[in-house]
Each structure stands twice: as structure tokens, then as C-alpha cells.
Amino acid sequence: MAPEAATSEAVTNEPQARHIVYCGVCTLPPEYCEFGGTVKKCQEWLEKNHPDMHEKLYSEEAVAATLSTLSVDAQKRAAKDSQKKEAKAAAAEAKAAEAKAQAQVLIKRVERNKRKYVTAVSGLEAHGMDLKKVAKEWGKKFATGSSVTKTASGGEEVVVQGDNSDEIFDWVVDVAGVPEDNVDCIEDKKKKAT
């Protein structure tokens, strides 16, 4: 009996792993979200997913206790810094939304040999899509080969074998949520060598 008691006691004395919560917005621990620049979004996420921790960090008593430890000048600087960070985050968010709204998706149907075509799609990365995943999905959907290739201009495009430009147009508009005005279909013909 004595050996069994000794082993169970040794197991309880070992250090246990800690469970740390990370913010779903800025990926920092919630205690450090104020340094990330997305404080408002982080607070909303924390209140929704971990209300007990939100109460501990952002209740009126906790904020008052934190501010009471600062001097008057430090409080003014902290308020000014938080306003600057909020304005900077809002400006960056607006700029990203504007860039996404103006980004064009080009769908090109390129003739390879006589009646063989390839469809090349560029501009998807501006809309937050992972090109490799899109290429794999299109390969399955259209039962054909598709890949991500580098363009001469340095960008990347998805190349799908066959003339799938109409189906790809529908997918980009319906599934990806790109506005129709931002999608252009172009038909390229291969020049014959003379």
C-alpha cells in the first residue's frame, strides 16, 4: 500500500500546464491587447468569448485602479496615445477596405493550341483569398488541372486548364463575394508565328 500512495503523491506535486487565453483579434494575451492597436475590437471579442476575464480587466473598478497608479501627466499621455492608436487603426481599416473595393480580378481565356484553352485568373489575393486553396478547389470543381504560377510582372495567378471562364466568373462573384464591377473577362489569342 505504501508504494501506491507515494506514486499518487508524486503525480500531484508535478507542475501542471497553464491554460493561457489568446485574443482572437490581435493574438496577444488579453492583458496586452492595449498595445496591439485594436483595443475596441479586442474588448468586444473578449466580452463575447470570455466575459469573466473581460469583467476582471475592463470593469470600472479595474480601470479606475489602474489609472489611480498613474500621475496626472501620465494619465493625459495615456489618453492621448490611446486616441492616436484608435485613429491610426480606423484609418488603416478604411484604407484596406478601400483597396479591397477597388481591386480588380482579371479572368483571361488564353488559346494554347488550335482548340485548346487555358483560363488564367489574377487579382484574387487582393480580396483575401489563398491562391493555393482556390486552385485546389477549382481543380476539384472543374475536374481539371489547376495551379498557381508567377506572372512576368512579379504577381501570381491561378491557371486552370480548359475554357472555364464563365464558371469561374460565377464562382468569383457568388462564392468569393467580389462585386461584378470588379471582375473583367478578357480573351487572348495566341499570335501565329510567320
Side-chain angles (χ1 to χ4, degrees):
M1 283 266 184
E4 288 178 16
T7 57
S8 65
E9 190 175 308
V11 171
T12 57
N13 288 341
E14 290 183 17
Q16 300 296 316
R18 292 185 181 205
H19 177 69
I20 298 175
V21 175
Y22 291 99
C23 177
V25 178
C26 66
T27 67
L28 294 171
E31 295 86 6
Y32 297 98
C33 283
E34 63 186 279
F35 305 113
T38 56
V39 180
K40 292 286 184 198
K41 287 184 180 179
C42 293
Q43 283 182 2
E44 292 169 4
W45 179 88
L46 191 64
E47 187 174 18
K48 180 181 172 189
N49 295 310
H50 298 282
D52 54 330
M53 189 174 285
H54 179 269
E55 182 66 28
K56 185 176 120 184
L57 294 173
Y58 296 109
S59 67
E60 290 184 25
E61 297 86 29
V63 172
T66 307
L67 287 177
S68 67
T69 61
L70 298 175
S71 66
V72 175
D73 291 337
Q75 287 179 4
K76 289 178 183 176
R77 274 187 268 131
K80 202 181 266 187
D81 286 346
S82 67
Q83 287 176 349
K84 281 183 184 178
K85 284 183 181 179
E86 286 177 18
K88 199 174 191 180
E93 196 174 300
K95 188 176 180 182
E98 184 180 326
K100 186 177 178 180
Q102 291 179 353
Q104 290 285 84
V105 175
L106 296 176
I107 301 173
K108 289 190 280 189
R109 187 181 96 168
V110 182
E111 186 176 353
R112 258 190 337 132
N113 293 330
K114 298 198 182 186
R115 290 173 23 162
K116 305 243 186 219
Y117 294 95
V118 188
T119 307
V121 184
S122 59
L124 292 173
E125 64 276 350
H127 292 279
M129 289 183 249
D130 183 13
L131 296 182
K132 288 184 180 181
K133 289 181 181 177
V134 170
K136 189 170 185 173
E137 184 175 337
W138 286 350
K140 290 177 182 176
K141 181 176 176 70
F142 304 127
T144 183
S146 65
S147 63
V148 178
T149 59
K150 294 196 183 285
T151 60
S153 61
E156 290 185 329
E157 65 183 4
V158 179
V159 178
V160 181
Q161 292 178 359
D163 179 15
N164 299 308
S165 54
D166 294 335
E167 293 89 355
I168 290 175
F169 179 87
D170 294 339
W171 187 91
V172 168
V173 171
D174 296 338
V175 177
V178 178
E180 280 190 44
D181 300 338
N182 292 7
V183 182
D184 287 334
C185 289
I186 302 169
E187 184 173 338
D188 282 356
K189 290 192 175 182
K190 198 172 188 181
K191 295 179 182 176
K192 291 183 180 178
T194 55

